[in-house]
Amino acid sequence: MSVAKKVLLVTGGGRGIGAATARLAAKAGYRVAINYASNEAAATALVEAIEQAGGEALAIKGDIGSEADIQAMFESIDHAFGPLDALVNNAGVVDQRARVDEMSGARLERMMRINIIGSMLCAREAVKRMSTSHGGKGGAIVNVSSIAARIGGPGEYVDYAASKGAIDSFTIGLAREVAGEGIRVNAVSPGIVDTEIHASGGQPDRVERMRHGVPMQRAGTTEEVAAAILWLLSDGASYTTGANLEVGGGR
Ligand code: NAP
């Protein structure tokens, strides 16, 4: 009798840290739902690469800033893969470098809607499916936060740092809320990781500029963050909940 494969959703899984997490999870035997916002080509190419390597994956378009998209996405996963076992709340955005006294309300609303509310709504849908009090069989959630929550992002993006601070509090609270229902909730806080997020915030040279301030003198790779996420999802972390694992090269 074959053992049922665990089902994992990675939000923002088409590129960067999410893509490395999806790749590693598929290799570890998860069936992986890969959510993306607009870069269909990247998500589809990743699904093909996973399938060619013998894994199972599915690309799902959906804006994590939209409650309707989130609900539709979870329903698609229910139909395609069955009940969810694991969620990685990875989708996140930055914005152009700005001081707080220059930030518009629209900017703040977008940042908080995607980075905080989106993660909380995805966790809500995951808990409804995983919690033993809802008839589920338990599961694991990893929220992707940032070392920015501790540093504050002054002169660059305090709003982003604050959104990740909210994720840290959310991780502690949700972990305690569902600890008796078979669900573990943890966070990973990357430092500076070499992805396209820096260019999306108008700073393509950010990794090269900032790496000298990292005790290890280099940026992290997406694979190094993915390895931490996969460990927190795994049974090896069975007594770990409410933790925040920094992957920042000592920063
Ligand atoms: P990235 O390379 O820019 O990739 C972001 C991914 O998120 C893409 O797949 C993108 O989809 C998706 N996404 C963006 N907005 C979305 C939305 N509204 N709905 C659904 N998906 C959305 O970013 P990354 O560097 O891998 O960052 C991933 C996470 O790590 C974020 O939460 C970020 O804050 C955190 N982080 C990153 C660093 C770093 O230095 N890179 C450091 C600390 C924390 P498309 O492909 O469709 O555009």
Side-chain angles (χ1 to χ4, degrees):
M1 210 177 77
S2 66
V3 179
K5 284 180 155 188
K6 286 191 171 176
V7 176
L8 164 70
L9 164 63
V10 182
T11 66
R15 294 185 291 117
I17 292 168
T21 302
R23 220 177 285 117
L24 196 61
K27 217 169 146 188
Y30 286 91
R31 305 166 91 187
V32 190
I34 296 168
N35 155 256
Y36 66 96
S38 56
N39 193 332
E40 188 177 1
T44 307
L46 179 57
V47 168
E48 281 169 12
I50 288 172
E51 286 174 346
Q52 271 167 20
E56 262 185 282
L58 171 74
I60 307 179
K61 184 178 166 70
D63 178 3
I64 294 303
S66 155
E67 184 171 12
D69 279 16
I70 289 171
Q71 269 168 330
M73 173 174 70
F74 274 84
E75 282 162 21
S76 305
I77 299 166
D78 292 341
H79 289 125
F81 282 163
L84 196 75
D85 298 283
L87 164 68
V88 177
N89 263 326
N90 166 78
V93 293
V94 295
D95 211 316
Q96 304 297 305
R97 190 200 300 227
R99 286 169 47 98
V100 171
D101 52 16
E102 297 164 336
M103 289 177 189
S104 68
R107 167 184 168 130
L108 295 175
E109 278 177 20
R110 167 185 171 267
M111 179 83 67
M112 306 307 161
R113 196 175 64 245
I114 296 170
N115 290 8
I116 307 175
I117 298 173
S119 294
M120 292 181 76
L121 290 173
C122 286
R124 178 190 74 189
E125 293 306 309
V127 168
K128 281 188 196 168
R129 288 159 174 81
M130 296 173 182
S131 168
T132 52
S133 71
H134 288 291
K137 55 185 191 316
I141 297 173
V142 173
N143 296 321
V144 181
S145 181
S146 172
I147 281 176
R150 170 162 63 68
I151 295 173
E156 195 175 30
Y157 29 61
V158 168
D159 52 349
Y160 170 78
S163 76
K164 295 301 189 178
I167 289 299
D168 290 354
S169 298
F170 176 57
T171 300
I172 295 167
L174 183 64
R176 292 177 179 178
E177 193 164 289
V178 297
E181 299 170 22
I183 306 175
R184 295 181 302 101
V185 185
N186 292 289
V188 160
S189 289
I192 296 164
V193 182
D194 196 1
T195 71
E196 292 163 354
I197 201 171
H198 311 287
S200 76
Q203 301 186 61
D205 62 339
R206 187 168 182 269
V207 168
E208 183 50 32
R209 217 178 57 236
M210 306 277 286
R211 76 176 175 85
H212 305 288
V214 178
M216 281 192 186
Q217 298 282 302
R218 66 169 178 88
T221 66
T222 56
E223 289 78 14
E224 287 172 317
V225 181
I229 294 171
L230 262 288
W231 178 74
L232 285 169
L233 291 178
S234 76
D235 290 343
S238 54
Y239 197 54
T240 301
T241 197
N244 191 331
L245 181 52
E246 292 199 349
V247 185
R251 192 161 173 238

